[in-house]
Amino acid sequence: MLFHLTTIKGLSHTGHFSFSSNRIVHNLKLSDIVFFEKQRRQVIIHTKSAIFTTNMTTSAILEQIDADFVQVHNSYIINTLYIEEVSSTFVILNYAGNSAEIPVSRKFRSIARDQILERLKSRI
């Protein structure tokens, strides 16, 4: 059975995340993105060196990211490459001398934990 790569949801073909902000198109390396923070229609993209803001749906984000990213809350999608500590209610991300404590909601707790452990095991 053959699959068209463009039909597999969440598979990044380029290793980049593209969006526009203030009429400027940005193309960020996925490995540079630490986490996405959603505030209503607005998305705040936290990278190792900068913060970007754009309007985008959660599904539009999920279509462009790869398996290193896990949604842990309705408002947060994290890059597992930056995980320093995991608890049942939060995840601490460490990047470029900064850290961020991201809440894990009850809705995503079980599946997020499984996905995070799977990603971390694959790196050992």
Side-chain angles (χ1 to χ4, degrees), residues 42-99:
Q42 196 172 58
V43 177
I44 302 166
I45 303 167
H46 298 262
T47 70
K48 293 188 294 188
S49 58
I51 296 175
F52 300 91
T53 304
T54 187
N55 290 332
M56 186 177 271
T57 64
T58 301
S59 60
I61 296 169
L62 294 171
E63 288 174 4
Q64 290 194 62
I65 58 178
D66 61 21
D68 285 330
F69 289 85
V70 174
Q71 184 168 9
V72 296
H73 191 282
N74 278 336
S75 300
Y76 294 96
I77 300 171
I78 64 167
N79 188 337
T80 59
L81 296 173
Y82 296 97
I83 291 177
E84 180 179 299
E85 184 178 330
V86 179
S87 129
S88 62
T89 58
F90 65 88
V91 175
I92 295 180
L93 304 176
N94 189 7
Y95 59 100
N98 298 314
S99 65

Side-chain angles (χ1 to χ4, degrees), residues 23-40:
R23 299 183 184 156
I24 299 170
V25 176
H26 298 275
N27 194 23
L28 304 175
K29 286 177 56 177
L30 287 174
S31 60
D32 289 342
I33 299 172
V34 179
F35 66 98
F36 295 91
E37 179 180 0
K38 191 98 163 75
Q39 295 181 351
R40 293 191 176 91

